Amino acid sequence: MTGQSQHTDAFRRATDAVQMTDLEHMLLQPADMPPDLAGFVVAREGELDNETMAEHGFPGQTEESIGEAGRISGYLREISRELEEEPESGLIVSAGMVAHLFRDGEAVERWIDDTFLHEFVGNAGRVLDSGHELLHAEEVPVSGFHGKAAGVFAVHDVPVGVIGSTIVDFALGRLLGVAFVVALGSSEHLSTARDLGLRMERRFVSVALGGY
């Protein structure tokens, strides 16, 4: 077994002891964000339970189906910037992080494939339960994470206009990390989303090993 594999297995085992109360501490504060997100402030945060996930999720998802997929709960933190009167297309306007806690690591990896990738790409062109139209969605490559990771670039039609969301999901034991960046127009920001995800992963490891 390589040193990388040994470290990854140790991190996975450490997540077995993670509790709901740890999730809040696994998310970054504005001062720890990538340079492209400097100056952003916390817009909202709080527990993200399965009922709320279903309300804002893809068509057909229910609190029960999400629980059956192995998800226990999660914690969300979103940050945003103060907008100018006429912001330019491509400008990053918000970003966010979610730490999800699952029953086990296998459930996390299934979620990345079956829910994150399959549901996003499969619902392109549809109006979601939130009322937003998902105009486009495609998988984008990500690398550098300890375990399974995947990325999606999606374009939404929302009341304020068209926005582009770049989302990175990564697995660490029974934790699922989600990092997302939202910009005006159909603009992809994969490098920023990936940077945010990698910073989150390091934070996950630190907290799982007992360090706040």
Side-chain angles (χ1 to χ4, degrees):
M1 181 180 290
T2 66
Q4 173 80 12
S5 298
Q6 290 174 334
H7 286 151
T8 300
D9 287 344
F11 298 154
R12 288 172 176 165
R13 288 194 299 271
T15 67
D16 290 342
V18 169
Q19 304 295 320
M20 270 299 304
T21 52
D22 298 319
L23 299 184
E24 175 183 355
H25 304 284
M26 291 185 161
L27 302 182
L28 306 176
Q29 295 294 339
D32 303 318
M33 296 292 172
D36 286 348
L37 305 178
F40 284 53
V41 298
V42 175
R44 69 181 181 121
E45 66 175 314
E47 183 179 350
L48 185 59
D49 60 22
N50 289 347
E51 180 181 3
T52 306
M53 280 280 291
E55 290 172 356
H56 296 89
F58 292 103
Q61 284 188 335
T62 65
E63 180 181 0
E64 291 73 21
S65 69
I66 292 172
E68 289 170 359
R71 185 182 187 271
I72 298 170
S73 193
Y75 197 91
L76 163 76
R77 178 172 295 141
E78 290 187 359
I79 60 172
S80 63
R81 74 190 311 157
E82 185 176 343
L83 291 179
E84 303 172 356
E85 290 186 5
E86 296 184 6
E88 295 182 357
S89 179
L91 180 71
I92 297 175
V93 294
S94 65
M97 303 155 286
V98 188
H100 300 266
L101 185 63
F102 279 74
R103 181 178 58 244
D104 53 48
E106 289 76 13
V108 175
E109 296 195 1
R110 283 195 302 271
W111 182 277
I112 291 176
D113 286 332
D114 299 343
T115 301
F116 177 55
L117 292 176
H118 182 265
E119 294 289 351
F120 254 110
V121 176
N123 280 285
R126 297 184 61 181
V127 176
L128 305 182
D129 290 352
S130 61
H132 299 170
E133 184 177 359
L134 182 60
L135 299 175
H136 171 80
E138 64 178 301
E139 184 176 359
V140 291
V142 294
S143 61
F145 292 87
H146 282 95
K148 186 180 184 68
V152 163
F153 172 61
V155 180
H156 308 257
D157 188 1
V158 300
V160 297
V162 173
I163 59 172
S165 299
T166 311
I167 310 142
V168 171
D169 277 24
F170 64 90
L172 188 74
R174 66 190 193 114
L175 293 170
L176 169 67
V178 180
F180 61 90
V181 175
V182 179
L184 299 178
S186 53
S187 178
E188 179 188 299
H189 290 272
L190 182 57
S191 62
T192 303
R194 176 179 175 273
D195 188 359
L196 180 57
L198 289 170
R199 290 169 187 245
M200 285 177 62
E201 185 185 54
R202 290 194 291 270
R203 183 67 180 161
F204 276 22
V205 170
S206 175
V207 174
L209 294 177
Y212 280 12

